């Protein structure tokens, strides 16, 4: 945790004595992750462009608590900004989960037009209408999620049957892995490494950038490239906290958050391109999969039909505008 404290200090203390506004941003990722690299750069720019009127402080690596804690703090205004997966945000704003429908987006050529276009607009409206939060325009990237295990590779849907797999605390994830007849366990990210190490669960799923920066290869043998969900991070703000800023300072924060998000997307893509070789070199056994097999299993389990009903015809039509027909 010493490293986490060190990251927060330069952003706050240099300006804290004279700043009119101290803004705190928390996340759950290690300092080495592209999110925190770009957040550090972003905070420096915000503080400089505001001429010291803002002291923007970054608290990485669960320093302010786990996802559930920080979401509560952001909702109350105790935390000004927070980055969260749309799928976990779905516990508060169910409509936010639609971008994570299993095996929906085939590649980034579908993801970014959707999230920067009508699907992103739809989700942001739902967030703002259903909570004390709002989301900035450019969603940050988490990446396509992959499955790692300590017991066996996942080559086809049947390999998931009965598997004890850690998932984030979200009913959406539960329903998908139950459709695959797995045994999902909801555990906050802060406890993932220890849960794998002590065999509370045998598997987990995350993008490669998180698998690598959280060193999950130390407690997992297999990495199956399932690409089962695209996942991002909405950069969320507390509405009242943000609105107390004068318009010129809001503009400085918004432009830098969105610009950093675009840079972070490129960072994650480049990192993922290089990580497979790195993980193989550290002893992980990598395998690829056929998405059509998994999509067919979800279709037969009525996963798509059930979530179509929950999201509603309008939202589902916006999703399929970018993904093509799912069910």
């Amino acid at each position: 945790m010493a490293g986490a404290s060190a990251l927060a200090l330069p952003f706050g203390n240099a300006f804290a004595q004279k700043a009119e506004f101290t803004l705190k941003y928390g996340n759950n990722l290690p300092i080495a992750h592209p999110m925190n690299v770009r957040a550090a750069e972003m905070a420096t720019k915000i503080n400089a462009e505001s001429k010291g009127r803002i002291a923007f402080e970054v608290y990485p690596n669960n320093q302010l608590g786990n996802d559930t804690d920080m979401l509560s703090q952001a909702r109350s205004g105790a935390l000004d900004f927070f980055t969260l997966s749309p799928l976990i945000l779905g516990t508060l704003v169910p409509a936010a989960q639609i971008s994570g429908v299993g095996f929906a987006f085939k590649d980034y050529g579908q993801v970014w037009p959707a999230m920067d276009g009508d699907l992103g607009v739809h989700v942001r409206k739902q967030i703002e209408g259903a909570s004390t939060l709002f989301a900035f325009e450019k969603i940050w990237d988490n990446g396509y999620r992959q499955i790692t295990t300590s017991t066996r590779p996942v080559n086809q849907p049947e390999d998931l049957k009965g598997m004890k797999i850690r998932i984030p605390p979200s009913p959406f994830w539960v329903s998908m892995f139950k459709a695959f007849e797995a045994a999902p366990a909801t555990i906050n990210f802060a406890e993932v490494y220890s849960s794998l190490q002590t065999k509370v669960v045998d598997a987990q799923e995350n993008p490669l950038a998180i698998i690598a920066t959280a060193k999950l290869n130390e407690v997992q043998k297999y990495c199956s490239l399932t690409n089962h969900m695209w996942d991002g991070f909405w950069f969320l703000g507390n509405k009242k906290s943000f609105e107390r800023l004068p318009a010129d300072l809001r503009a400085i924060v918004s432009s830098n958050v969105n610009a950093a998000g675009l840079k972070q997307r490129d960072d994650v893509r480049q990192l993922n391109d290089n990580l497979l070789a790195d993980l193989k070199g550290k002893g992980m056994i990598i395998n690829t999969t056929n998405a059509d097999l998994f999509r067919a299993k979800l279709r037969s389990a009525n996963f798509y039909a059930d979530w179509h009903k929950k999201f509603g015809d309008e939202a589902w039509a916006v999703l399929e505008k970018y993904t093509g027909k799912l069910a």
Side-chain angles (χ1 to χ4, degrees):
M1 297 305 290
S5 298
L7 186 64
L9 289 175
F11 304 157
N13 289 5
F15 295 97
Q17 297 304 314
K18 60 178 180 178
E20 294 175 50
F21 304 97
T22 297
L23 301 176
K24 294 183 178 181
Y25 158 55
N27 66 63
N28 67 359
L29 295 181
I31 293 172
H33 191 278
M35 173 181 284
N36 282 312
V37 174
R38 290 302 178 180
E41 178 185 272
M42 174 190 78
T44 300
K45 287 183 176 180
I46 290 171
N47 292 343
E49 289 178 22
S50 72
K51 296 181 170 58
R53 294 174 67 194
I54 294 175
F56 197 105
E57 302 177 350
V58 180
Y59 295 87
N61 207 28
N62 295 296
Q63 188 178 351
L64 300 181
N66 62 33
D67 281 339
T68 307
D69 298 329
M70 286 189 283
L71 179 58
S72 176
Q73 291 168 41
R75 290 177 67 191
S76 71
L79 182 61
D80 301 289
F81 303 106
F82 174 44
T83 31
L84 188 65
S85 163
L87 294 150
I88 303 176
L89 181 59
T91 59
L92 175 65
V93 185
Q97 302 170 101
I98 195 165
S99 59
V101 168
F103 295 95
F105 293 115
K106 294 179 175 64
D107 53 39
Y108 280 111
Q110 293 182 339
V111 170
W112 297 133
M115 301 315 295
D116 290 338
D118 291 346
L119 192 64
V121 169
H122 171 79
V123 172
R124 292 197 305 277
K125 283 181 179 176
Q126 300 302 311
I127 293 170
E128 193 153 0
S131 69
T132 57
L133 305 172
F134 72 97
F136 288 89
E137 290 84 357
K138 298 299 181 184
I139 192 169
W140 295 36
D141 194 17
N142 194 4
Y144 275 94
R145 302 182 75 93
Q146 320 296 353
I147 295 174
T148 68
T149 75
S150 59
T151 53
R152 62 181 181 269
V154 175
N155 287 295
Q156 54 193 357
E158 291 73 23
D159 294 327
L160 286 166
K161 189 170 184 177
M163 182 177 283
K164 292 189 296 180
I165 183 168
R166 175 268 171 180
I167 56 171
S170 162
F172 194 81
W173 257 287
V174 173
S175 72
M176 189 179 84
F177 280 97
K178 283 193 171 178
F180 288 127
E181 301 178 75
T186 58
I187 299 171
N188 266 304
F189 184 73
E191 286 83 48
V192 170
Y193 188 100
S194 60
S195 297
L196 295 167
Q197 190 175 39
T198 56
K199 307 294 185 184
V200 171
V201 288
D202 297 317
Q204 67 85 47
E205 50 80 62
N206 260 304
L208 291 176
I210 290 181
I211 292 167
T213 55
K215 300 181 179 179
L216 299 184
N217 57 285
E218 295 176 352
V219 287
Q220 298 278 267
K221 183 176 181 180
Y222 302 98
C223 180
S224 301
L225 302 179
T226 50
N227 291 316
H228 55 275
M229 286 171 158
W230 173 78
D231 194 15
F233 294 106
W234 282 117
F235 202 107
L236 303 168
N238 178 277
K239 282 187 279 195
K240 285 187 178 178
S241 170
F242 194 60
E243 286 165 2
R244 71 190 168 97
L245 299 177
D248 60 330
L249 296 185
R250 290 200 302 270
I252 288 171
V253 172
S254 295
S255 64
N256 279 287
V257 168
N258 287 326
L262 293 177
K263 292 177 182 176
Q264 186 264 359
R265 292 180 186 181
D266 283 339
D267 294 342
V268 170
R269 177 182 52 79
Q270 292 175 31
L271 182 58
N272 284 337
D273 287 346
N274 297 324
L275 279 178
L276 284 178
D278 181 57
L279 291 170
K280 282 182 184 177
K282 291 176 178 175
M284 287 201 93
I285 299 170
I286 313 287
N287 69 284
T288 57
T289 58
N290 181 350
D292 290 339
L293 298 176
F294 292 85
R295 201 175 288 118
K297 175 68 174 176
L298 290 181
R299 205 170 279 132
S300 67
N302 291 318
F303 175 82
Y304 294 125
D306 290 345
W307 281 97
H308 180 166
K309 289 177 186 174
K310 290 176 183 176
F311 288 125
D313 290 342
E314 181 184 354
W316 198 259
V318 176
L319 174 65
E320 291 191 330
K321 171 183 174 181
Y322 299 98
T323 64
K325 190 80 172 159
L326 293 171

